[in-house]
Each structure stands twice: as structure tokens, then as C-alpha cells.
Amino acid sequence: MRIDGGEEVSAAPEHLVFAYYITGHGFGHATRVVEVVRHLILAGHDVHVVTGAPAFVFTSAIDSPRLFIRKVLLDCGAVQADALTVDRLASLKMYSETAVIPRDSILATEVEWLNSIKADLVVSDVVPVACRAAADAGIRSVCVTNFSWDFIYAEYVMAAGHHHRSIVWQIAEDYSHCEFLIRLPGYCPMPAFRDVIDVPLVVRRLHKSRKEVREELGIGEDVKLVIFNFGGQPAGWKLKQEYLPDGWLCLVCGASETQELPPNFIKLEKNSYTPDFIAASDCMLGKIGYGTVSEALAYKLPFVFVRRDYFNEEPFLRNMLEHHQGGVEMIRRDLLTGRWAPYLLRAVSLQPCYDEPINGGEVAAKILQDTAVGKNYASSKLSGARRLRDAIVLGFQLQRAPGRDADIPEWYAVAETELGLRTASPKSLSDEDNFLAKLCTEEFELLHGSHHRLPDTLSFLNSLAELDTEHHPDKNIEKRKMREFKAAAGLFNWEEEIFVTRAPGRLDVMGGIADYSGSLVLQMPIREACHVAVQRIQPSKQKLWKHAQARKLSNGRESTPVLQIVSYGSELSNRGPTFDMDLTDFMDGDQPIPYEKAKVYFAKDPSQKWAAYVAGTILVLMTELGVRFNDSISLLVSSAVPEGKGVSSSASVEVASMSAIAAAHGLNISPRDLALLCQKVENHIVGAPCGVMDQMTSACGETDKLLAMICQPAEVLGHVNIPSHVRFWGIDSGIRHSIGGADYGSVRVGTFMGRKIVTSMASAPLSRMLSSEKPPQQANGNYDECEDNVELLEAEASLDYLCNLSPHRYEAAYAKKIPEDLLGETFLEQYVNHDDSVTVIDPKRTYGVLASTRHPIYENFRVKAFKALLTAEVSNEQLLALGELMYQCHYSYDACGLGSDGTDRLVKLVQEMQNSKLSKAENGTLFGAKITGGGSGGSVCVIGKNCVRSSEQILEIKQRYKAATGYKPFIFEGSSPGAGKFGYLKIRRRLPTNES
């Protein structure tokens, strides 16, 4: 249907013209479009396909003069460095070059073309600009997809920087012109579409039977057949005969013409009709995409999959695959090293059970026909701009928010914790907690330490007992279906001792990013914590996972110690729930491998990079303390510290892991030293350029106290009691924070540039003074003043930490001479290096220097004032002054480029609450707020009176933020002990006795 002059003109129902746009990302979109197009053509309509995919994808399934193929690429999808690696920065850059820069000419061309073919309906899968072009041409448009590019690119912006946000917004605005969305199974959150119609799987039909295909290949039913379907192969990789078990053959899709294959591998022609070969196989080995998953489910084919990094569609499809018992996850390094056998043998034992309809192509085609002749599926006539404002929320702008969108399947929120307001600290136990304490005593014999009656520790111990399914066969039937639970259930030998540790996250009250410049910081350990359970096991007694067992047998080393880790909550960030490695991989001869080599080792598989935070603690202990690990290690990580919210989830994992490993091996490491060792994990193995305050707070913190520390490098001054009339809260903005992100690192580089400039500026006059023939006091005629200047310049010329420069001295001597911005190349030419061992200057990047230099100098002063004010006389003036210091800190972050729309909004809400007539009438309840930690999203810290009204106001802010953004903030309240105060538990399972 066309819209001419504002009036709807219905096309003849017997002959319609469809313009079908296909995204430039992979074959999966083209292959599913084939099935929809086929049904439209069977109904007698013309379809013009706009695509960058090869013509054979369509012509191999459709032989009709009503099919028109126009080879045009209007978007680029996700740019892949190889078959498994998405390049986020390259994706945004390519999209900008493909769709943003030439946008005006694209729109003009597409509008002219749509009018020339007299299109009745524009269909997009899922090209954003097609929807806008349709609107400009006066033609209705519909999208058919399981994900949208605004959702995929939203997380890429975190790596690329905020200046790319306009890409996400433009894509969402384009989609908002679409009439409605035909949504396919395995869908992602797609908030740009408000009207949705769900259809069954769109799957290509079969041309030949399993028997016919096998006969053509000369393969009998006694041969096991795996189809290798990656849409390309990992770079520099060669298939080998020993990768397959005996009696197996492999069909290879997408092999190059020149590629040589072993005799048990068969190369499929490029124009082969893949569905026939999929249905004729016994399992598939590949990466997850809509095409591979839908056809594996439709033909009940077990799917051995390897995770891709940074493609947000994957967890949704993976869940659908595993829900129908059709998936086996393969570790990437086992794929690349050819340890396929345990995965393939596991796959053929599965019985996939997808019994839903697979006629989505037919159903979608009928809906498209109805829409083209005038049927209205949309629920409202709202304008595109109005729907956009209603659809896109602030919390989604830079971060997919698990469990927060109504369109997200329930499973995606399973591991999310929703907290309401609670008391300030965990001092009392509920009846349920008392029951758990009693239950833990019955389940475990406590050989050392105390659970301190902490509710989260009691819950963890109870969940640990539930893993012993042999002695509790009637418990946790539902949990046993979860892959994480299955893996964890086989970790421990229940007859042996298990060591348990706990380390909290932290709320950055004051100090933040000034820690790496040597500032005083004030940090509060929060209620949420990470628990780790560790067991040392003699290698011959360890229960290995099947792929680890296969690796061990292939190496022929029965006594090799193996590290096996299970991490709960993996689905929240699309990471693998398990990790294993031979501990000998950490050795090069008789010496530990260098940190840089370990960094590369963990970075090879982004879905398992999280293991660097845990396993990296072992390498640091080997390198720094000379520890050698001859026993295997089984380790379970369960963290309630939310990731990406600026409360140091990574430090809590590191501290809890190292504490547990140290306890299990009899290492006596002080909390301070342990924190410094954990910082090495983060800096050198993970590769995040953080200071040490996070690890220090997690290790050395105390309940309801602020850890006061001078970061030069880590001098703990003590603990500052939080006055009884003062209370702190953390409010999560919903915008994901990462200290590994580009913004945090660039500000750190700018800070160290500033320090180098200051020391160089001080060195020049000092050299002139010291080289003068006359004594300094005679040169200027004032002995005392010159001597002081020499001493002052000497201190500033050798400035180790920028925070040791006072604000007045900075303003008097240096502020006006430090450049606002500086190109990395220009700095390196003049100063050679910036003397920071954990960051590298990019010569082509421009760094903000002035604001990054100023912030830590003034922040150090603010923190000192804050600490002094905490012990001042109780008054509103005291709270007002504390709040003002927090506000100043917040806006200093913004000046450095580390702010975010979400955190700014929360701070503004606190200000509005503070300045309301009601608050003033009550002499104030909330007094200040600031962004925390590394900035660029995450959480804000709020200070207020410790009273009921303050809690009510925090709840009101939570609701107002949700109303404005669609995101319901996580509230951090209360405190708990650091790892040092908690110590460790040594427990042994109480096994049931046989009664006569």
C-alpha cells in the first residue's frame, strides 16, 4: 500500500510489489529472507531484494522471474576480525562510513528507487535506513528480525567512547518509522519497536531427504557426520585428521578453493544448499547465529557451539538452543587445538526436543501481504518521534539492562538480584537466617573460622551443600537443569576439606580516580560480596570435566594438576560459566610465564576472559611469592557484587579468590599485601589500569567504617567511623562502567602527562639556579626566599605523585601553562614518555590534560577536608559542607570527560530533593551526591541523614529515575567486613551415617 497525498491507496491484492532490504551482516539474514520471499512469490507478488549477499543464496531456493536482486550494501553489521572475533571499534567505524557519512545520498537514492518500482511495502531485515527511506517515500514499512542494530551497537559504544552514541540514536530513530515488528524466536530486547507480532521460526525447507544426501555422498548410516558451519574459519587455522573421532566425517562449509583438507573432511561447494546437509548430519559444529540455531532446532540436530565475543544476539539464541536440549558448548581453545571428541560424543547423546511450528516464513509472508493491502496491525497512530521518546530509555542508551525490558525473556533475569531498602548493616538475622545458620551447622563441620552470622555467607554455604546431589537426591530438581549447577556439582570431593572466603565490593565515597595519583581516599565496603570455595585435590583424584579428561589423556600426563573454575551468574554478561586449564600452562621450564604472556592467554577467548581475575591470582602468587602448585584446584565463584555498576566487582572477585587459594595452601598474607598482589592481577594480567583502593577496601575494610588510605602506593591511615547521624547510599544509573574502557584509560594518561609536564616545568628553573656561578641567595638578593624556592622546585621536579602538589602551588605556578588538550605524538616528541607502567600513549589520540591534571590535586584536598568534617560537631552545616565537597567532585569528573547522562540525572534528582520546600522545612535530609569509582556510568554515592525520611527520598529518586528512563536503579545500602576481618572458613561435609 502506498500513501499518496496523505490518503491510503490499496494495491491490487493479486499483485503486490515488495522491497525487501537485508542487512550486510552474514548469510543468516539472507537465508531466512529466502523463505519469506519464496512464499510472497508463490502468492503471485514481485519481490525486489536489496542485499550484499551472493545471488546464489536466493537463486538456489527460488527460480522465478518475480525475484529481482539489487546488489547494494546499506549497512555493515558487525565487522569480524575472524570467524569468532567481532571488532567493536571497526564495526562502528565501518557503519559510519557505510551508512552515516553518505546518509543523505542514500536516502535520496532509495526514495527515488522505491518510487520507480512502485513499491507497496518496504520490508527490512534489519536495515535501519530502509525504514526512514520508506517514510520519506510515503510507503509503509515493516521489520522482520530477532535483533536490531541499536541493541547490538549499544554495548560497542562503551569501548569506543560516548562520541559514537549518535549512531545508536540514529538507528533507533530510523526504526521508529517502522509500522511494526515481526519478531522471530530467540529475540533480543528491541525497544525502538512498540508494536510487535511474534511468528514461528523461519526455516528453509528441505530439497532432499537425509537418505538421498548420504547416498550422494557415499556415506552409510553407520558413519557419524558433523557439519562444520562457521561462515568462515578462524584465521591461520588448519583442520587436521586427528580432530575427529574414529568413524566420523566432517562436512566443511565455507572452505576456500585452495584449502587442503584431510581425508576425513569433505569440502562443500559454495553454492551447496546447506539445509539438506544439516538435516543429513548427526551434529553441527559452529558459531551461534539465527540461521544455524533455527535449522539445528528445526531438524533436531545437536549443535556444538563456540561463543563469539561482543555479539549481543548470542545469549538469547543460546538459551533457546539449550532450553530445547540441543546445545553443547565447546571451549574456544579446544576448538583451535582440535580436542573435539568429547564434545561431539556428548552431542550425539542428546535428544533435541523442539516441537514448536517452523512455518514462520509462511506466517510472516501472510502478515506482509495483509499490511501491503491496507490491514492495520499497529496499536496506535503515534508519530515516529513520539514512539521513539516512549521506546528508547536512558538506561538502554549505553548498556543493555538485563531483566529491565518487558520484551526480555524471563530466563535473562534469573541471576539478577533486586534489592529494596534495608537496614544499614547486617547485624541481626531473620528467622530464615537463623534457620540457615542451623542448617549449615548440620551440613558442615566447621574446622576453622566463623561465618559471622552473615546472611549471604549462610546462603552460600547452604547452596554449597545442595551441590552434593548424591546425599540430597530430592533437592534442587530445577537447579540441576542449569549448566552452572551441573558443572559445580562435580567440582568437589565431599570427604575433603573446603576453604571458603568472602570479599565485599566497595562504595567510593571520596577519592575515586585520584587514587593512582596518590590521593587520600575514603571507601566503604558494601553489603554485597563475592564468595569463593576452593579445594586442593591430588591430581589423580580430581573429577575432571570430559573435555579436560580428554586433554589430559592426549597429553599422556596422568599427574598434571588442573585448575577447574565455575562462576555463577555467567548469563548476565554472556561469558562462559566454566574455565579450566593445566596449571603447567603457567610455567615456562622452571619459571612462571611473564604476565604479558598470561594476558594474551586469557584474551584469546573473550567469553572466558573473566577467568583472568581468578586464575591470575595463582600466577601472581607464583611470580611474586615463589609459590608452586602441585595439587589440582577446584574453585567455585559466587558473586553478589553487580558487574559494571562502579562498585568494584572485579576487586571483590580477585581478593576472595586469592584469599581462598592462600588459605588452602597455608599462605599467611596480610590483607594489605594481598590487596597489592591483587592489583597486579588487574593491572598486568587483566590489563585494567586501576589504582589500588578497590582491592584495599575489599581486603582491609571494616563494617560501617570508611577505609582511609593514602595511595602512595597504599598507606592505610586507619578506619573512620561513619557518624551515627550520617548515612551513605549507592544508586546505580544502569549505564555500564568498565575501568578497562577507553575513557578511564585516556584520563589516566592525561593525568600522567600533566605530572610529567609539571616536573619538567619545575626542572628548568631549578637547573638554572643550581648551575649559576653565584649562590642562589646572591642571585636574587634574598637568601631565605631563594633557598625556599630551590627546595620547593626540587620537590616539584621529583614529584612522584601529582596529589603531593598543593592546589595553591598548582594555581600559582602551573595551571596557566598546562595545555587543555595534547596530541599523543606531540607529547612523546617533547617528553619521550609519561612514566606510567600500566597505560600506553596512542600517538594519534588527543588527550585531555588540563582537567585530568587539576582533578586529583583538588580531589586530594577535598578528601582531606571531608575526613576532617566527619569528626566535626553534628550540625546541618556539617552535612551541607560534606555534600558540597561531593558535588564538587562530581562536576570535576564531568570536566575530565568521565560523566554520563545517567549519573548526572541522579545527582540532579538529589539536588532537586535537597532543595525542595519540604526538605528545607525538615532542615534537610539528603545533602550531596557524586559519581563513583572510574566514572563513565556506574553508580552515584549519596550522603544524607540517617533517618526514615532519607530512605523515603532515596525510594522516590529511584521511582523518578525509572519514570524518566525506564530503568529501575539498584540501591546499595549497608556495609560488611572486608576479607581480612572475615578470615576464612575451613569446612568438611557432614556425610550421613548408615543406621542399622
Side-chain angles (χ1 to χ4, degrees), residues 908-920:
K908 185 178 179 182
L909 286 171
V910 172
Q911 291 172 342
E912 291 174 358
M913 199 72 68
Q914 177 185 354
N915 295 312
S916 68
K917 289 182 179 179
L918 181 59
S919 286
K920 288 183 177 180

Side-chain angles (χ1 to χ4, degrees), residues 682-912:
E682 188 122 15
N683 287 170
H684 303 303
I685 299 177
V686 176
C690 71
V692 74
M693 73 176 190
D694 299 353
Q695 291 82 4
M696 275 291 186
T697 310
S698 188
C700 305
E702 294 185 12
T703 307
D704 293 334
K705 296 180 181 180
L706 300 182
L707 178 75
M709 180 180 70
I710 295 177
C711 305
Q712 301 188 15
E715 181 187 347
V716 176
L717 298 183
H719 295 85
V720 181
N721 288 320
I722 299 174
S724 60
H725 68 289
V726 173
R727 193 162 177 184
F728 296 103
W729 295 265
I731 308 179
D732 161 41
S733 69
I735 297 175
R736 189 173 181 85
H737 153 81
S738 170
I739 62 169
D743 291 325
Y744 177 93
S746 66
V747 171
R748 175 164 177 154
V749 169
T751 303
F752 277 83
M753 282 181 169
R755 184 175 72 91
K756 188 63 172 276
I757 292 170
V758 167
T759 57
S760 297
M761 289 169 63
S763 296
L766 179 64
S767 296
R768 289 193 298 270
M769 287 182 177
L770 296 178
S771 63
S772 173
E773 292 183 2
K774 295 181 179 180
Q777 62 272 27
Q778 295 179 17
N780 287 338
N782 188 320
Y783 179 89
D784 293 335
E785 180 181 344
C786 291
E787 184 176 54
D788 289 344
N789 282 343
V790 169
E791 291 178 355
L792 192 60
L793 288 172
E794 283 179 338
E796 291 168 359
S798 59
L799 195 66
D800 288 336
Y801 294 96
L802 195 53
C803 286
N804 290 337
L805 186 66
S806 63
H808 79 270
R809 182 61 185 161
Y810 165 75
E811 294 292 348
Y814 303 106
K816 295 178 182 178
K817 301 175 185 177
I818 293 178
E820 184 172 347
D821 301 295
L822 197 58
L823 183 67
E825 189 174 48
T826 303
F827 177 87
L828 292 171
E829 287 175 356
Q830 185 170 354
Y831 298 101
V832 183
N833 63 67
H834 65 323
D835 298 326
D836 181 20
S837 62
V838 298
T839 58
V840 177
I841 294 176
D842 180 353
K844 302 302 180 184
R845 181 165 186 171
T846 298
Y847 296 91
V849 179
L850 183 60
S852 298
T853 303
R854 188 178 191 275
H855 174 81
I857 294 169
Y858 277 85
E859 181 70 359
N860 188 41
F861 174 79
R862 285 190 289 263
V863 183
K864 289 179 178 178
F866 195 95
K867 180 174 179 286
L869 279 167
L870 280 175
T871 58
E873 183 180 350
V874 177
S875 65
N876 263 24
E877 287 72 21
Q878 176 205 30
L879 287 166
L880 283 168
L882 290 168
E884 176 61 27
L885 291 170
M886 293 179 76
Y887 284 138
Q888 289 182 19
C889 172
H890 178 79
Y891 292 109
S892 185
Y893 263 79
D894 279 352
C896 292
L898 289 174
S900 76
D901 292 342
T903 48
D904 285 348
R905 182 183 290 270
L906 284 169
V907 170
K908 185 178 179 182
L909 286 171
V910 172
Q911 291 172 342
E912 291 174 358

Side-chain angles (χ1 to χ4, degrees), residues 195-514:
D195 296 301
V196 174
I197 301 173
D198 287 302
V199 300
L201 278 179
V202 175
V203 181
R204 289 179 291 177
R205 60 174 182 150
L206 297 180
H207 292 171
K208 299 175 182 177
S209 69
R210 173 185 173 96
K211 182 178 180 182
E212 288 173 329
V213 173
R214 284 187 167 245
E215 285 179 352
E216 290 180 6
L217 292 172
I219 298 172
E221 283 295 333
D222 59 324
V223 175
K224 294 295 183 184
L225 194 62
V226 55
I227 184 165
F228 185 82
N229 196 357
F230 276 90
Q233 293 181 26
W237 189 46
K238 185 177 180 180
L239 296 168
K240 298 179 181 179
Q241 184 172 351
E242 59 267 25
Y243 289 1
L244 297 177
D246 292 340
W248 282 66
L249 292 177
C250 180
L251 303 177
V252 182
C253 304
S256 65
E257 295 179 2
T258 58
Q259 184 177 2
E260 294 184 4
L261 297 179
N264 51 351
F265 287 78
I266 301 171
K267 187 185 303 183
L268 294 181
E269 298 297 329
K270 280 198 172 181
N271 60 352
S272 296
Y273 189 65
T274 311
D276 289 344
F277 293 98
I278 289 175
S281 299
D282 295 290
C283 68
M284 176 155 52
L285 172 56
K287 64 183 179 185
I288 285 180
Y290 181 86
T292 53
V293 169
S294 62
E295 289 173 356
L297 289 173
Y299 303 124
K300 293 182 169 53
L301 187 75
F303 189 174
V304 179
F305 63 87
V306 182
R307 296 190 190 216
R308 279 183 293 177
D309 54 312
Y310 309 125
F311 200 72
N312 303 344
E313 173 196 25
E314 184 171 291
F316 300 89
L317 292 171
R318 186 177 69 247
N319 177 74
M320 183 170 66
L321 182 69
E322 294 180 339
H323 177 74
H324 294 285
Q325 302 175 37
V328 175
E329 180 174 349
M330 177 184 283
I331 297 171
R332 185 181 299 195
R333 69 175 182 273
D334 284 346
L335 171 76
L336 301 178
T337 55
R339 296 189 178 98
W340 296 6
Y343 302 98
L344 299 180
L345 295 174
R346 168 63 180 153
V348 295
S349 71
L350 298 179
Q351 294 182 331
C353 58
Y354 191 81
D355 296 319
E356 304 296 322
I358 58 173
N359 63 335
E362 180 182 359
V363 174
K366 179 65 168 61
I367 294 170
L368 295 175
Q369 289 178 83
D370 289 345
T371 305
V373 297
K375 183 171 181 179
N376 183 23
Y377 281 95
S379 61
S380 68
K381 295 282 187 180
L382 296 177
S383 68
R386 169 72 181 279
R387 278 186 298 186
L388 176 66
R389 286 195 300 270
D390 184 45
I392 300 299
V393 297
L394 185 63
F396 174 74
Q397 161 187 343
L398 292 177
Q399 134 91 353
R400 57 176 187 210
R404 303 299 190 184
D405 188 285
D407 291 340
I408 300 178
E410 288 184 3
W411 68 269
Y412 198 57
V414 166
E416 184 175 26
T417 305
E418 180 61 39
L419 296 182
L421 289 174
R422 297 164 301 191
T423 54
S425 60
K427 293 180 179 178
S428 61
L429 293 179
S430 65
D431 290 341
E432 180 182 353
D433 295 326
N434 281 317
F435 171 75
L436 282 176
K438 182 174 181 294
L439 187 63
C440 289
T441 303
E442 294 172 352
E443 297 284 0
F444 290 105
E445 180 184 359
L446 185 57
L447 304 175
H448 177 274
S450 169
H451 50 59
H452 300 276
R453 297 180 67 79
L454 290 167
D456 60 344
T457 301
L458 296 174
S459 294
F460 177 72
L461 292 174
N462 186 52
S463 69
L464 198 61
E466 291 174 349
L467 293 174
D468 183 8
T469 56
E470 180 181 349
H471 297 105
H472 283 299
D474 56 332
K475 285 189 177 182
N476 299 298
I477 303 302
E478 286 302 313
K479 276 189 177 181
R480 291 177 200 179
K481 297 177 182 178
M482 299 169 58
R483 194 145 49 96
E484 293 175 355
F485 187 90
K486 289 180 181 178
L491 271 179
F492 302 115
N493 291 332
W494 297 111
E495 297 83 2
E496 304 294 334
E497 298 167 350
I498 297 174
F499 294 81
V500 175
T501 53
R502 178 189 186 277
R506 64 97 188 94
L507 184 63
D508 168 35
V509 175
M510 289 293 287
I513 59 167

Side-chain angles (χ1 to χ4, degrees), residues 15-297:
H15 180 224
L16 301 167
V17 177
F18 294 87
Y20 212 133
Y21 287 80
I22 305 173
T23 186
H25 179 78
F27 277 9
H29 296 264
T31 57
R32 72 187 180 199
V33 165
V34 164
E35 193 61 17
V36 182
V37 168
R38 187 174 70 84
H39 282 285
L40 290 173
I41 289 175
L42 284 174
H45 309 305
D46 288 355
V47 182
H48 294 257
V49 173
V50 184
T51 181
F56 76 79
V57 176
F58 305 92
T59 57
S60 62
I62 303 171
D63 182 13
S64 171
R66 293 190 180 278
L67 172 66
F68 303 88
I69 299 176
R70 176 172 169 240
K71 295 298 290 292
V72 178
L73 187 66
L74 297 179
D75 68 359
C76 64
V79 176
Q80 296 186 196
D82 57 41
L84 293 171
T85 306
V86 174
D87 189 326
R88 293 170 293 175
L89 302 185
S91 296
L92 293 172
K93 181 180 179 182
M94 180 65 75
Y95 186 85
S96 180
E97 294 172 354
T98 306
V100 177
I101 295 172
R103 178 178 172 82
D104 291 343
S105 63
I106 287 174
L107 284 171
T109 300
E110 295 312 303
V111 169
E112 181 181 357
W113 177 75
L114 289 170
N115 284 319
S116 72
I117 65 169
K118 294 182 168 43
D120 294 296
L121 185 70
V122 171
V123 189
S124 177
D125 183 0
V126 60
V127 181
V129 75
C131 302
R132 178 56 186 268
D136 289 353
I139 306 170
R140 297 172 77 181
S141 63
V142 175
C143 284
V144 184
T145 185
N146 66 304
F147 74 82
S148 54
W149 285 113
D150 54 337
F151 175 72
I152 301 298
Y153 288 155
E155 190 163 296
Y156 297 1
V157 172
M158 289 306 299
H162 292 178
H163 56 287
H164 286 288
R165 285 185 295 182
S166 60
I167 289 178
V168 175
W169 282 102
Q170 183 64 70
I171 292 172
E173 196 276 334
D174 283 348
Y175 286 146
S176 75
H177 293 284
C178 167
E179 289 283 321
F180 60 88
L181 166 69
I182 296 177
R183 188 168 62 180
L184 304 177
Y187 57 82
C188 302
M190 291 180 277
F193 305 98
R194 303 312 294 172
D195 296 301
V196 174
I197 301 173
D198 287 302
V199 300
L201 278 179
V202 175
V203 181
R204 289 179 291 177
R205 60 174 182 150
L206 297 180
H207 292 171
K208 299 175 182 177
S209 69
R210 173 185 173 96
K211 182 178 180 182
E212 288 173 329
V213 173
R214 284 187 167 245
E215 285 179 352
E216 290 180 6
L217 292 172
I219 298 172
E221 283 295 333
D222 59 324
V223 175
K224 294 295 183 184
L225 194 62
V226 55
I227 184 165
F228 185 82
N229 196 357
F230 276 90
Q233 293 181 26
W237 189 46
K238 185 177 180 180
L239 296 168
K240 298 179 181 179
Q241 184 172 351
E242 59 267 25
Y243 289 1
L244 297 177
D246 292 340
W248 282 66
L249 292 177
C250 180
L251 303 177
V252 182
C253 304
S256 65
E257 295 179 2
T258 58
Q259 184 177 2
E260 294 184 4
L261 297 179
N264 51 351
F265 287 78
I266 301 171
K267 187 185 303 183
L268 294 181
E269 298 297 329
K270 280 198 172 181
N271 60 352
S272 296
Y273 189 65
T274 311
D276 289 344
F277 293 98
I278 289 175
S281 299
D282 295 290
C283 68
M284 176 155 52
L285 172 56
K287 64 183 179 185
I288 285 180
Y290 181 86
T292 53
V293 169
S294 62
E295 289 173 356
L297 289 173

Side-chain angles (χ1 to χ4, degrees), residues 521-656:
V521 297
L522 296 173
Q523 308 295 307
M524 184 180 83
I526 60 175
R527 177 191 298 270
E528 291 73 23
C530 173
H531 286 85
V532 168
V534 166
Q535 186 175 73
R536 290 176 63 178
I537 304 173
Q538 207 281 328
S540 63
K541 295 181 180 180
Q542 188 178 26
K543 293 176 283 188
L544 294 175
W545 296 319
K546 289 185 178 179
H547 63 272
Q549 180 67 39
R551 181 179 69 240
K552 191 172 183 179
L553 293 174
S554 67
N555 291 339
R557 292 180 294 185
E558 284 296 325
S559 62
T560 301
V562 175
L563 170 67
Q564 292 188 147
I565 307 171
V566 175
S567 174
Y568 284 162
S570 61
E571 294 299 348
L572 286 180
S573 52
N574 191 25
R575 53 182 169 82
T578 64
F579 174 85
D580 66 274
M581 64 177 291
D582 296 342
L583 286 174
T584 53
D585 290 349
F586 276 153
M587 296 296 293
D588 184 3
D590 59 354
Q591 293 299 316
I593 62 173
Y595 289 147
E596 186 60 35
K597 188 174 180 179
K599 181 180 176 181
V600 172
Y601 178 92
F602 288 109
K604 286 180 180 178
D605 187 350
S607 72
Q608 291 194 315
K609 189 177 179 180
W610 61 267
Y613 296 99
V614 182
T617 62
I618 293 175
L619 180 60
V620 168
L621 290 173
M622 294 169 69
T623 303
E624 305 300 329
L625 301 185
V627 182
R628 295 295 179 263
F629 297 90
N630 298 316
D631 286 339
S632 290
I633 300 173
S634 290
L635 192 148
L636 175 64
V637 181
S638 178
S639 180
V641 185
E643 297 177 30
K645 299 189 186 302
V647 290
S648 231
S649 60
S650 61
S652 66
V653 170
E654 291 158 355
V655 171

